[in-house]
Amino acid sequence: MSKRLPVTVITGFLGAGKTTLLRHLLTTSQQRLAVMVNEFGSVGLDGDLIRSCNFCSDEELDGRLVELNNGCLCCTVQDDFLPTMEKLLSLSRELDGILVETSGLALPLPLVQALDWPEIRAKVYLNGVVTIVDGEALAAGSPVGDTLALEKQRQNDPSLDHLTPVNELFDDQISSADFILISRFDLLEPIQYSNIKLELSKKSLNGTPVIGINNGKIDPSLILGIKSDQLCDVKKEPLEDHSHASHSHVQVFSSLIRVELLISQKQLQELLTSLAIKYQILRLKGRCWLPQKSIPLQLQMVGARFSSWFESVPENTWKPKVGGVELVVLSFDEFAEQAIKEALKDFGPAS
């Protein structure tokens, strides 16, 4: 059984910092990533910026960078998004994941739903919707820094089939997010950042992480997650992210949990979802071995979004005698690991 590729959707208004974040992820993650860029017009500025960061060799570039300039991607899903995904998935054995940069006008939900289309749903999983917002613009009272540029983008898109007002579009991007990043964080006063974070939390799903960043810099594992073949290599120590100003220093605790026990898929999902909200779990990846199943259930969480599917693993993978779980957890809360272990104790050891 071939591996499923993680697809990360990066959305946000024009000028919020999507391409800057993409360049950082491509050049620092040490993962082989393909990129789908949605922009307008014949001159691909975003594509040029990504191409110039030298994230892959010239020979690989045509296969790993795809520019779509026929209009807002959520309005051209069937014509553009799905055929492009199928093209990239033909290279799946050579890739670790796919990044999708939407236009500033895109509604994330149609793209998320498209990943469940029969042609591709067994080959991918949603690694998360990342919404990046302009902190400087929000501090000035607007969700977008250049309203004239956004309106010009809207007028120049012949395929746009939704005329959503800016504030409603912003709310949709926030409510669809699994991860929210506040760009231009260094230009904000502490009280401005606190107020923006509070307002975003009100509009987002319960448990959605909100983090301030500068120049697109953030630990790639927070956005891209841990690769399945790296589960055993995670360091049980805080991940220090020094890209932030002093009033938002980010300390993320990583942990590896292995427990032999009997637990159902439904019980595990309910347990982990509740703990993710309570203990600020940013990302979780792992496996659950169920009785009478020859291959494990793969687990993936970003915020409180839970995904699972059965997939084979290498022969040297840890495997319990009857049933058990193996989890890698990234959390803001240093007590998340202890809380998960205590909760799993309620199900008793496998025998």
Side-chain angles (χ1 to χ4, degrees):
M1 186 180 295
S2 61
K3 66 176 182 179
R4 294 195 186 199
L5 274 185
V7 177
T8 305
V9 178
I10 299 177
T11 187
F13 281 135
L14 182 71
K18 299 188 298 294
T19 304
T20 303
L21 173 64
L22 265 178
R23 284 169 57 97
H24 175 71
L25 296 175
L26 290 169
T27 56
T28 64
S29 67
Q30 298 183 328
Q31 295 191 27
R32 290 178 56 82
L33 302 168
V35 191
M36 188 188 307
V37 181
N38 182 209
E39 54 186 13
F40 306 115
S42 58
V43 181
L45 297 179
D46 287 355
D48 288 344
L49 287 171
I50 293 171
R51 189 178 292 105
S52 65
C53 75
N54 299 316
F55 72 99
C56 68
S57 66
D58 292 341
E59 292 75 18
E60 295 180 293
L61 198 55
D62 286 342
R64 290 177 58 186
L65 174 60
V66 181
E67 299 175 74
L68 303 176
N69 55 13
N70 291 331
C72 179
L73 194 55
C74 73
C75 302
T76 59
V77 168
Q78 189 163 356
D79 295 333
D80 286 335
F81 181 71
L82 290 172
T84 303
M85 285 297 299
E86 290 179 316
K87 175 184 176 182
L88 294 177
L89 287 171
S90 68
L91 305 171
S92 61
R93 294 184 181 277
E94 304 169 19
L95 298 175
D96 295 317
I98 298 173
L99 300 174
V100 180
E101 179 192 349
T102 72
S103 79
L105 299 174
L107 300 169
L109 188 57
L111 301 184
V112 173
Q113 294 173 332
L115 295 180
D116 198 40
W117 278 50
E119 296 91 335
I120 61 174
R121 65 185 179 193
K123 302 175 183 178
V124 299
Y125 68 88
L126 179 62
N127 189 49
V129 176
V130 179
T131 298
I132 185 166
V133 301
D134 187 335
E136 184 181 25
L138 286 174
S142 171
V144 57
D146 191 338
T147 54
L148 293 178
L150 184 70
E151 185 56 33
K152 183 178 180 181
Q153 185 183 40
R154 191 196 298 268
Q155 293 174 357
N156 290 339
D157 184 0
S159 65
L160 191 68
D161 63 9
H162 61 87
L163 297 176
T164 313
V166 169
N167 286 332
E168 290 184 21
L169 181 56
F170 178 72
D171 289 349
D172 185 88
Q173 292 179 352
I174 296 300
S175 63
S176 301
D178 300 304
F179 225 106
I180 300 173
L181 303 178
I182 304 174
S183 68
R184 298 180 176 87
F185 173 73
D186 54 326
L187 302 179
L188 300 178
E189 295 296 328
I191 187 63
Q192 290 178 312
Y193 173 72
S194 296
N195 289 338
I196 290 172
K197 188 173 181 179
L198 178 61
E199 289 304 310
L200 292 175
S201 296
K202 292 178 181 178
K203 298 175 182 290
S204 63
L205 297 176
N206 195 9
T208 302
V210 181
I211 299 178
I213 63 171
N214 298 323
N215 301 314
K217 294 180 180 178
I218 188 170
D219 189 309
S221 65
L222 297 181
I223 303 301
L224 302 176
I226 304 293
K227 290 170 58 181
S228 295
D229 57 5
Q230 295 176 329
L231 289 183
C232 298
D233 298 327
V234 67
K235 296 179 180 179
K236 296 187 67 174
E237 58 188 34
L239 299 175
E240 301 289 345
D241 192 334
H242 298 288
S243 62
H244 300 50
S246 59
H247 58 277
S248 181
H249 176 69
V250 173
Q251 188 175 44
V252 178
F253 296 90
S254 61
S255 54
L256 173 63
I257 299 171
R258 283 178 180 158
V259 181
E260 295 200 29
L261 79 171
L262 294 179
I263 189 171
S264 71
Q265 179 178 348
K266 180 180 179 181
Q267 289 171 326
L268 186 59
Q269 178 174 347
E270 291 175 350
L271 174 67
L272 294 178
T273 301
S274 64
L275 291 174
I277 297 172
K278 186 175 181 179
Y279 290 95
Q280 302 180 77
I281 295 175
L282 306 172
R283 280 202 174 270
L284 181 147
K285 191 170 186 118
R287 308 179 180 102
C288 177
W289 294 87
L290 301 172
Q292 285 83 49
K293 292 291 184 180
S294 60
I295 58 177
L297 184 71
Q298 301 289 334
L299 308 173
Q300 153 78 15
M301 286 186 67
V302 52
R305 185 195 291 272
F306 182 95
S307 302
S308 63
W309 64 94
F310 288 98
E311 186 177 294
S312 59
V313 292
E315 291 184 3
N316 60 350
T317 301
W318 175 81
K319 182 178 180 180
K321 293 179 180 179
V322 180
V325 294
E326 178 182 38
L327 307 172
V328 168
V329 182
L330 302 180
S331 175
F332 281 145
D333 194 322
E334 63 180 312
F335 299 109
E337 177 182 2
Q338 179 182 343
I340 293 174
K341 288 181 177 179
E342 289 295 324
L344 291 174
K345 284 182 180 179
D346 292 340
F347 294 91
S351 59

